[in-house]
Amino acid sequence: MAPEPLAGIEDIAALQYEGPESLKLKRRLVASASATYKSFDSLEGTLAPYIFNYRDVLFCNRTLANAERLRTMTCLHVLNHVFKTRDRVIKNNGRKLRHPDSEEIDLRDQGFTRPKILFLLPTRQACARVVDTVVKLYQPEQQDNKKRFQDFFSQQPDDAVLSNKSDDFRDLFEGNDDDMFRIGLKFTRKTIKFFSPFYGSDIILASPLGLYTALASEDARKRDHDYLSSIEMVIIDHADALLMQNWDNVEYILDHLNLQPKEAHGCDFSRVRSWSLDGHAQHLRQTLVFSSFNTPDLNSIFVNRMTNIAGKVRFTQKYDGALLNLGLRIKHVFTRFGSSSPAADPDVRFQYFSKAVAPKLSSKGTVVFISSYFDFVRLRNFFSTSSTTQNVSFGAISEYTSVRDVARARSHFLSGRYSVLLYTERAHHFRRYRIKGATNVMMYGLPDNPAFYRELVEACLGVSVQNGTVDAGEAAVRTIYSKWDALKLERIVGTERVAPLLREGSGDRFEFL
């Protein structure tokens, strides 16, 4: 893991932060930070200079092992920022009282509204973890409405449901997995107040769906985004999980940050920072994004949304490839098709599949994995109406399929009544079904999450090989891809092996065992 070249005023890659003593922390945070960190490990020492010097960060190596450390460092930085800005305002209030008639004092220390920090998180339980970390670091004497918060946000995991699920699934969905929430936190000298009104909050924590519904009310009179006008820091944690929700909600929220407010909301404009008045607040906003892997959507945020004048940095990783972590020796076939642009890719992919792949889908036990719901609808209609597939019986499982219909589709596929089963990435993300009866897997589109590739091979083909349904030599995973799938492909075949699969003139069919 290494940062790409830093874009900004100053290169700080050479800075070495060995522990909390290297940070300029407010006094009330020093003791808790020292108790939390004896010293920084290599990850923390690498990230701290960028985070605490207000650089934008896209970190694409979030794991179960480092998620808590990332959360703790981020919350420490957030609290330090809240206290610094609050103390500056209090100090300037005193100066104004001592010199009420002085025209020489120019106190530009505030935004239009109070909220400074925005967390975008996937579930209520993820929100509870962030809040627990904040409380641990702040150590308030009083917590207003804490019991109400625990009742609505924290929940004990159901081990009966999670017992046969993967570790990443348990981490994301254990506890309260509701993705519809928003809450404000207000800090006073000795107290944290939960469920404070947004205009009286320092920190807003929300899911993309929860905040979107507040911003995009059907009643135009209720639409309000002024409380986002002075956001100074945005943290998008577990971004890979948010990608499996509705990423358009994230984009909508980012579109409404740091806009000029429609109403004053009691603002003292003589105290508002000049860059906010001039409409440049987004260029002094820090954006931190933590994800398990990189995607075009995250790259778009890095290129178009991270406009911080302090600079930005993107951390990427090298991949061994999901193919190397399989306990099953079967054939993996990758076939490339030409595509002129990302916009044309869905149509070209469908044309290639319908003409070159679909006519050969005659064997029973084929799982067709589809990464996009729009592609799923297109293929479902194709299998229903096309003369090419008129003799192919099929079932379909998407994230919107009812439990009853899912059970019927899986049962018919196992019995052989359905020879093909269409299966979406989001359905797998939210349910992690083990599809029995599979003899081969057709990847219409590669998954963003490389763990899904491994799970499909092991949960579908692995079970069939163990049960004797199919011989390992006959089972296969076949993938069609274009050059626009480069990021996904790298995670599957590995960083060192991906170049030939993308290079023009090196062939369009590749096999791995």
Side-chain angles (χ1 to χ4, degrees), residues 223-511:
R223 292 176 192 165
D224 181 17
H225 54 74
D226 288 355
Y227 49 82
L228 300 179
S229 62
S230 300
I231 293 295
E232 299 166 11
M233 193 182 301
V234 179
I235 299 94
I236 304 177
D237 193 18
H238 219 320
D240 48 300
L242 299 183
L243 287 164
M244 290 291 103
Q245 297 177 6
N246 188 340
W247 189 253
D248 288 343
N249 292 340
V250 177
E251 296 281 359
Y252 186 89
I253 292 167
L254 295 179
D255 284 338
H256 287 77
L257 295 180
N258 303 118
L259 301 179
Q260 297 293 306
K262 297 179 180 179
E263 299 181 14
H265 302 285
C267 174
D268 181 357
F269 288 94
S270 67
R271 300 282 293 272
V272 177
R273 302 182 185 95
S274 58
W275 55 80
S276 294
L277 293 172
D278 294 338
H280 300 310
Q282 71 272 19
H283 301 305
L284 288 101
R285 182 188 72 225
Q286 184 181 27
T287 304
L288 304 176
V289 180
F290 302 101
S291 175
S292 299
F293 45 80
N294 196 8
T295 71
D297 290 316
L298 298 182
N299 271 335
S300 177
I301 286 184
F302 182 78
V303 173
N304 301 313
R305 307 281 190 177
M306 294 185 176
T307 59
N308 187 351
I309 61 172
K312 58 186 176 183
V313 62
R314 174 170 48 200
F315 288 84
T316 57
Q317 58 176 311
K318 290 185 177 181
Y319 295 92
D320 294 330
L323 292 178
L324 297 183
N325 299 322
L326 300 174
L328 189 65
R329 187 176 177 82
I330 61 173
K331 183 190 298 184
H332 301 262
V333 181
F334 295 82
T335 305
R336 186 180 65 214
F337 61 90
S339 177
S340 59
S341 68
D345 193 76
D347 292 333
V348 177
R349 186 183 301 268
F350 176 72
Q351 292 299 323
Y352 182 84
F353 178 86
S354 60
K355 294 179 180 179
V357 179
K360 301 177 183 179
L361 290 178
S362 56
S363 61
K364 292 184 179 180
T366 299
V367 176
V368 180
F369 181 84
I370 310 163
S371 57
S372 163
Y373 182 75
F374 298 106
D375 287 336
F376 167 80
V377 173
R378 195 174 200 174
L379 283 190
R380 185 182 60 189
N381 294 340
F382 171 76
F383 274 90
S384 299
T385 60
S386 174
S387 59
T388 304
T389 56
Q390 61 181 351
N391 295 322
V392 177
S393 59
F394 77 99
I397 298 176
S398 75
E399 56 270 34
Y400 301 112
T401 307
S402 67
V403 174
R404 179 179 179 181
D405 289 342
V406 167
R408 181 187 298 112
R410 294 174 67 187
S411 175
H412 289 348
F413 183 71
L414 175 61
S415 66
R417 184 173 177 179
Y418 290 158
S419 59
V420 172
L421 182 66
L422 308 182
Y423 186 42
T424 66
E425 181 172 6
R426 285 186 177 179
H428 187 74
H429 171 78
F430 288 109
R431 297 292 179 261
R432 308 295 171 95
Y433 293 120
R434 301 176 69 88
I435 308 297
K436 298 180 180 179
T439 59
N440 59 89
V441 174
M442 175 68 219
M443 294 282 181
Y444 183 84
L446 286 168
D448 275 317
N449 192 337
F452 292 176
Y453 189 94
R454 182 183 68 252
E455 290 173 1
L456 284 168
V457 172
E458 294 177 348
C460 295
L461 299 182
V463 172
S464 296
V465 171
Q466 291 177 359
N467 295 339
T469 305
V470 64
D471 185 80
E474 298 176 355
V477 180
R478 293 175 171 81
T479 301
I480 59 174
Y481 71 95
S482 72
K483 62 183 179 181
W484 309 111
D485 295 319
L487 291 174
K488 297 178 180 180
L489 195 62
E490 179 189 6
R491 295 190 281 271
I492 302 301
V493 303
T495 303
E496 295 182 356
R497 291 179 293 275
V498 72
L501 278 72
L502 298 171
R503 189 183 304 124
E504 297 292 341
S506 60
D508 57 6
R509 179 183 169 90
F510 304 85
E511 293 189 10

